[in-house]
Amino acid sequence: MRSEPRRWVVMCALLVSGLAAAEPLVGPAVGNAEALVAEGTRLYNKKRYADASGLFLKATRANPTLLPAYLGLARSRLGAKEIPGACTAYRAYVRSAPDIQDRTKAQRELELCERQLKAARKKQKGAAPADLTARHVELKAGFFAALEDKKLVGPDSAAEMLTTLVSEGYLGTDLGEMGAKLSAASRGATEELHRRALAGETLPPEQLRESRKLFDLAANTGEASPNASSQAPFLEGLAVFQEGDFAKAQGLFAQAATAAPGRTEYRVWRAASLQRAGDLNGALAVMEADLPDDARTDVLRAAVAQKKSSKDGARELERILFQRYPTAAR
């Protein structure tokens, strides 16, 4: 099932590669759909059909269930002499619109558009753009299969299938459902990864770094993770910590701690990074500010004292052993 969509994805990879990183795919992050339709309508009335077409197309991505966007797109494309694209937009509208007066009128306009398209193809002797309907059905099947397998990013992933559909101009209200499902799955995956990391599980750096793509994917297909501002730098910090870049790690942990002041774990990891980088005083300052009574803070105090002199170290160790944690009376 997925081999054919994958072949087409590879063929257009150079064209698509910047899309997901540069722009949101589907959902509110694309823009305000109603505002886009209003501006598109204004431009259409001024006969600026190409400009109106771009705004209506964006509106179909921002809210794939907003049907007026499809009709505005169809009419704008028709005005701009983009006959194949106009027919595609008309079909999307007629397929989903309720049986109302606008739909009846749109059906007639679609029939006219189809006749114009047929004439254009006959005149161009088959040079007109091919019908991608069957291929888009394959891509959608591949999307849901990848989603079920929890393959959200990377080759043959749900993100790749959805990106290809959008880049090729697929239109349909089902894009909203696809985006919402992918966004929810991405948020769930990052929450699980964060939970495992906090539980002390050692995760490979490449898996930790994949979380950044998942955070971006959630925002670009629907709803951003409410904890992305803290969880993303924390997980990336763990990756660079494992790779030995403790200076960068402590900066990322500091960013996470600033975004989520209630998460003391982020501060502990920052202190660990500072300690591994040789900054014992900095590590102790972090721990004393947030966890002054923690046993790990005492260990750092002893280490800092020992660095000053063996006498100071012995005195601090004595304080910890016999004053901080007094022996129970027998």
Side-chain angles (χ1 to χ4, degrees):
M1 174 68 72
R2 275 183 263 175
S3 59
E4 180 65 14
R6 174 60 180 158
R7 182 174 68 85
W8 283 92
V9 168
V10 172
M11 289 176 63
C12 65
L14 292 177
L15 296 176
V16 176
S17 59
L19 180 62
E23 297 179 358
L25 290 172
V26 183
V30 174
N32 184 312
E34 293 185 355
L36 289 166
V37 167
E39 181 61 12
T41 302
R42 186 184 72 81
L43 294 176
Y44 177 86
N45 291 335
K46 289 180 174 290
K47 297 185 178 181
R48 292 172 56 183
Y49 300 123
D51 293 335
S53 174
L55 291 172
F56 283 124
L57 177 60
K58 198 172 181 180
T60 68
R61 307 300 186 210
N63 181 1
T65 63
L66 188 61
L67 295 179
Y70 295 94
L71 191 55
L73 176 61
R75 290 170 175 166
S76 296
R77 284 177 169 176
L78 197 62
K81 308 301 181 185
E82 298 175 21
I83 307 303
C87 292
T88 298
Y90 274 123
R91 291 189 206 105
Y93 177 80
V94 170
R95 185 169 60 241
S96 301
D99 191 9
I100 56 177
Q101 185 177 357
D102 279 350
R103 186 182 186 278
T104 302
K105 185 179 179 182
Q107 180 67 53
R108 292 197 299 267
E109 292 175 14
L110 171 59
E111 292 167 359
L112 176 61
C113 186
E114 297 280 14
R115 289 196 294 271
Q116 292 180 7
L117 180 59
K118 185 177 180 180
R121 283 178 172 163
K122 185 176 180 180
K123 184 177 179 180
Q124 297 172 18
K125 297 180 180 180
D131 185 357
L132 298 176
T133 302
R135 198 168 85 79
H136 288 167
V137 170
E138 287 280 327
L139 283 167
K140 286 192 287 183
F143 169 87
F144 285 107
L147 194 65
E148 185 175 355
D149 291 342
K150 297 184 179 180
K151 196 167 187 178
L152 306 182
V153 295
D156 291 324
S157 67
E160 188 177 69
M161 300 295 176
L162 185 60
T163 299
T164 305
L165 283 167
V166 170
S167 72
E168 291 185 354
Y170 174 76
L171 297 172
T173 57
D174 52 351
L175 272 182
E177 177 194 3
M178 295 169 72
K181 286 181 179 294
L182 183 53
S183 181
S186 299
R187 293 195 304 275
T190 54
E191 284 292 339
E192 175 63 12
L193 200 60
H194 182 257
R195 183 195 65 76
R196 290 167 62 190
L198 284 185
E201 184 175 342
T202 301
L203 301 167
E206 56 272 19
Q207 186 177 7
L208 291 165
R209 281 204 170 86
E210 189 177 85
S211 65
R212 178 68 72 172
K213 296 179 182 177
L214 291 169
F215 282 117
D216 291 342
L217 186 59
N220 288 343
T221 55
E223 181 183 345
S225 169
N227 301 311
S229 61
S230 60
Q231 292 182 358
F234 170 66
L235 293 171
E236 187 177 350
L238 288 177
V240 298
F241 183 92
Q242 288 187 40
E243 293 167 345
D245 190 346
F246 304 118
K248 184 177 181 180
Q250 77 85 17
L252 288 164
F253 291 137
Q255 182 182 338
T258 300
R263 281 283 188 188
T264 57
E265 298 96 326
Y266 299 162
R267 288 170 169 76
V268 172
W269 276 103
R270 185 189 177 199
S273 299
L274 289 165
Q275 182 269 326
R276 292 290 292 274
D279 185 2
L280 287 177
N281 288 321
L284 180 58
V286 170
M287 293 297 288
E288 285 186 327
D290 295 286
L291 297 166
D293 298 324
D294 193 284
R296 291 164 294 189
T297 308
D298 281 329
V299 173
L300 276 174
R301 287 194 188 102
V304 169
Q306 179 65 34
K307 193 174 181 180
K308 291 179 180 178
S309 72
S310 57
K311 184 176 180 180
D312 286 341
R315 186 180 297 112
E316 182 62 26
L317 182 59
E318 179 182 349
R319 185 192 70 80
I320 293 172
L321 292 175
F322 300 108
Q323 298 178 31
R324 179 85 170 169
Y325 304 104
T327 304
R330 293 183 180 276

